[in-house]
Amino acid sequence: MAIESGDKVKGRISGITHFGAFVELAEGKTGLVHISEVADKYVDNIKDFVNVGDEVTVKVMKVEESGKISLSIRKAVDRPPESRPKPVRASNARPKDNSRRSGSSGNSKPRPLSFEDKMNNFMKDSEERLSSLRKQTDNKRGKQSRK
């Protein structure tokens, strides 16, 4: 039986590294479950989720011509559509409104900065830092040339 992308197969964890787990599949083939494909949440230590010798069901994500097999444990789990994690919408994703300025009303909570505001603040800060570095560099060059 050939292993193809999209198949769900059973295997046994044969090795664990800091970047994922190796799974021994049928016919003596081995595939890799990347650490990002172990669980739906952030995985800091893969050993908190799997151990060598554990039997797992994996979904074959990709089979390369070189023989490398990419696997996923989290995508092998069948879940009803409503239990799948929903994409998180950015809290500051609002239409741009230039009429309100931060600090214009003392009673309201400060509104989250828009991307444009954050970018403008970054550019201003960056220019100030570059200006300071240029002054320091010019001062050093001036002192060295006088000696």
Side-chain angles (χ1 to χ4, degrees), residues 32-103:
L32 174 70
V33 177
H34 188 266
I35 193 167
S36 64
E37 292 295 328
V38 172
D40 282 329
K41 60 183 181 177
Y42 178 75
V43 177
D44 186 41
N45 185 354
I46 195 167
K47 292 179 181 180
D48 294 338
F49 293 87
V50 293
N51 295 307
V52 173
D54 288 353
E55 189 155 317
V56 292
T57 301
V58 293
K59 182 173 182 178
V60 180
M61 302 307 296
K62 185 176 183 182
V63 179
E64 296 182 12
E65 290 179 21
S66 63
K68 291 182 180 179
I69 303 172
S70 299
L71 305 170
S72 174
I73 293 173
R74 69 184 182 102
K75 291 182 181 171
V77 178
D78 290 325
R79 292 176 291 201
E82 64 273 358
S83 70
R84 290 191 179 139
K86 296 179 182 174
V88 178
R89 185 174 163 192
S91 62
N92 62 354
R94 296 180 186 161
K96 188 174 178 182
D97 182 8
N98 289 332
S99 63
R100 291 192 293 166
R101 300 278 181 209
S102 61

Side-chain angles (χ1 to χ4, degrees), residues 84-146:
R84 290 191 179 139
K86 296 179 182 174
V88 178
R89 185 174 163 192
S91 62
N92 62 354
R94 296 180 186 161
K96 188 174 178 182
D97 182 8
N98 289 332
S99 63
R100 291 192 293 166
R101 300 278 181 209
S102 61
S104 62
S105 64
N107 297 345
S108 66
K109 295 179 185 176
R111 68 180 175 102
L113 294 176
S114 69
F115 174 76
E116 289 82 12
D117 292 336
K118 289 179 183 178
M119 188 58 117
N120 287 336
N121 288 344
F122 170 79
M123 292 298 292
K124 181 181 173 186
D125 186 48
S126 179
E127 287 297 324
E128 288 173 358
R129 289 179 185 208
L130 282 173
S131 175
S132 174
L133 286 172
R134 283 186 195 118
K135 286 179 186 176
Q136 289 175 359
T137 305
D138 290 345
N139 286 341
K140 288 180 182 177
R141 287 181 184 162
K143 289 180 183 176
Q144 289 175 351
S145 64
R146 292 182 189 155

